[in-house]
Amino acid sequence: KRSSSQMSKVLISGLGGGLDVVNAALLFFCARHEGRHNVSLGSARPAPVVDVLGGKPFSSNGAIINSNSKINRPRTSRYAEPLVSKYLDDEPIYYIARTSQEATETKPTYRKEPLRTTIDACFDELGFSDIVFVDGGGDSLIVRSSDSPTGEDPVKGGDAEMLAAIRGRKGVVQAIISVGLDIKEDKFFETVELLKARGGYYGKVNLLTGEKSDFKLDRLFSFNSPFGINSPWINKYFELCEKVLVLKEEDLQDEGKMMSHTGVVTYWALKGQFGVKRTFVQWEPVQPDGTKGALVRPEHCWMYFVDPTELENIKVELHSAL
């Protein structure tokens, strides 16, 4: 008799940041190493499906792409999905467009309804039983402008649009790694406490050591694989990062590599190499001693799991009270 984890069909997708597909690949590699061959990789990004060339549409805002696909955006927009497919031996990637563009429109527009219809199609047409959306940095847990280091509006923008469309959809989980890069860390944990009170917190896993705390998603991931920098699955993740990410200055000249603040921090954290590391992005922090780079900490190895519907409910309640 097969276990429920073996029978379920899971899509692990980037939530929306530039290289969240690489952050999602962490869970993808771990699950595949555990024998979960019914796990697929996805990516939610702004470009509409009309700008995805060589993809197979499955909904108005969705397409299955591979290494031969092309997303009609410049390198600086960081659409790495076809490259990721190439490096994973032409693994299909389920692309979810946050925007759509009608023939009469000159630019794409965010519309909640077709985005939700596409998320529903992942379940109803493609047969996924669960979707795990992965966010690097933690800005998806911003519920107030004061939670953000830059005063980001929690009800506008990419992650906010995705969460609004997901709200109420059963079978969706949200995962967050490298917490504190895009959200004030104390505010992140305040929101976690609010989620705990609602039953919307599913625990955390340290992807370097394998340590678990309050983890409640064993039906999806056992996390019984070997952990540490020499484990086979995490080495596949390192190899992908080294092919796709700008990790050192000379990589800036490589047309096949792209910058990712959260992606680089996660890579070094899971290598166990802590301290200030260059990420080369335009908004790269400057440390007190004048050194450029992000401070990579052991805390960045933890991946947190939450219920996105309860998260969105918190946000809606907070803003309706204003």
Side-chain angles (χ1 to χ4, degrees):
K1 184 179 179 180
R2 294 188 300 170
S3 68
S4 59
S5 66
Q6 290 173 318
M7 291 186 287
S8 57
K9 181 181 177 183
V10 182
L11 177 62
I12 303 172
S13 173
L15 180 63
L19 272 293
D20 272 345
V21 66
V22 176
N23 295 320
L26 260 172
L27 282 182
F28 172 81
F29 287 131
C30 184
R32 282 282 177 94
H33 187 73
E34 291 177 345
R36 295 288 307 277
H37 300 296
N38 48 357
V39 172
S40 298
L41 191 59
S43 184
R45 298 300 311 280
V49 167
V50 294
D51 285 340
V52 178
L53 311 178
K56 180 182 177 183
F58 65 85
S59 182
S60 61
N61 283 38
I64 304 170
I65 64 176
N66 57 27
S67 60
N68 294 317
S69 304
K70 181 181 179 182
I71 300 171
N72 195 18
R73 289 290 187 275
R75 177 193 176 201
T76 52
S77 295
R78 303 182 299 160
Y79 282 81
E81 289 77 10
L83 278 175
V84 171
S85 175
K86 173 185 174 182
Y87 295 133
L88 299 187
D89 298 324
D90 214 28
E91 180 76 30
I93 294 180
Y94 293 81
Y95 182 88
I96 299 172
R98 293 205 310 259
T99 66
S100 52
Q101 186 170 351
E102 305 295 338
T104 56
E105 295 178 320
T106 57
K107 62 180 182 179
T109 303
Y110 164 67
R111 296 180 178 87
K112 180 179 175 181
E113 291 74 18
L115 178 53
R116 175 54 180 262
T117 298
T118 297
I119 293 166
D120 287 340
C122 291
F123 292 92
D124 303 333
E125 306 299 328
L126 300 178
F128 288 105
S129 58
D130 300 88
I131 303 178
V132 181
F133 284 109
V134 181
D135 165 45
D139 54 335
S140 63
L141 257 73
I142 291 173
V143 295
R144 312 170 190 84
S145 294
S146 58
D147 296 355
S148 167
T150 59
E152 178 183 327
D153 189 334
V155 297
K156 294 181 180 178
D159 288 351
E161 293 166 358
M162 282 297 298
L163 291 170
I166 291 167
R167 187 187 185 195
R169 174 74 226 197
K170 293 187 182 300
V172 182
V173 171
Q174 185 176 337
I176 310 99
I177 194 158
S178 286
V179 165
L181 295 178
D182 298 331
I183 186 174
K184 295 175 183 176
E185 203 162 352
D186 59 332
K187 297 298 184 182
F188 176 88
F189 291 113
E190 279 183 20
T191 302
V192 165
E193 289 303 314
L194 293 174
L195 286 163
K196 285 181 180 179
R198 295 166 171 259
Y201 177 65
Y202 302 138
K204 63 179 182 176
V205 178
N206 188 307
L207 295 182
L208 176 61
T209 66
E211 181 184 353
K212 293 188 271 191
S213 176
D214 298 324
F215 187 66
K216 300 177 178 68
L217 295 174
D218 296 280
R219 67 183 182 82
L220 296 179
F221 307 105
S222 65
F223 289 116
N224 290 328
S225 296
F227 282 80
I229 58 173
N230 295 316
S231 69
W233 68 269
I234 210 164
N235 270 290
K236 288 185 178 181
Y237 161 76
F238 291 149
E239 289 169 10
L240 177 64
C241 290
E242 288 155 11
K243 290 173 179 175
V244 173
L245 300 182
V246 172
L247 294 168
K248 50 189 184 296
E249 195 158 7
E250 51 263 42
D251 290 342
L252 291 166
Q253 309 307 316
D254 189 332
E255 289 293 322
K257 293 185 177 180
M258 301 178 191
M259 291 179 284
S260 171
H261 191 64
T262 62
V264 169
V265 168
T266 304
Y267 170 86
W268 289 118
L270 295 178
K271 281 272 187 180
Q273 297 192 27
F274 307 115
V276 177
K277 298 291 183 182
R278 294 294 311 272
T279 65
F280 303 99
V281 295
Q282 189 176 358
W283 57 93
E284 187 174 24
V286 178
Q287 300 301 320
D289 64 356
T291 305
K292 281 187 175 182
L295 180 59
V296 180
R297 300 179 294 122
E299 290 81 359
H300 292 141
C301 298
W302 287 95
M303 182 172 276
Y304 295 78
F305 297 84
V306 305
D307 179 344
T309 290
E310 287 299 344
L311 174 63
E312 189 66 8
N313 288 343
I314 291 169
K315 189 190 303 179
V316 169
E317 289 167 16
L318 285 171
H319 288 269
S320 62
L322 295 178

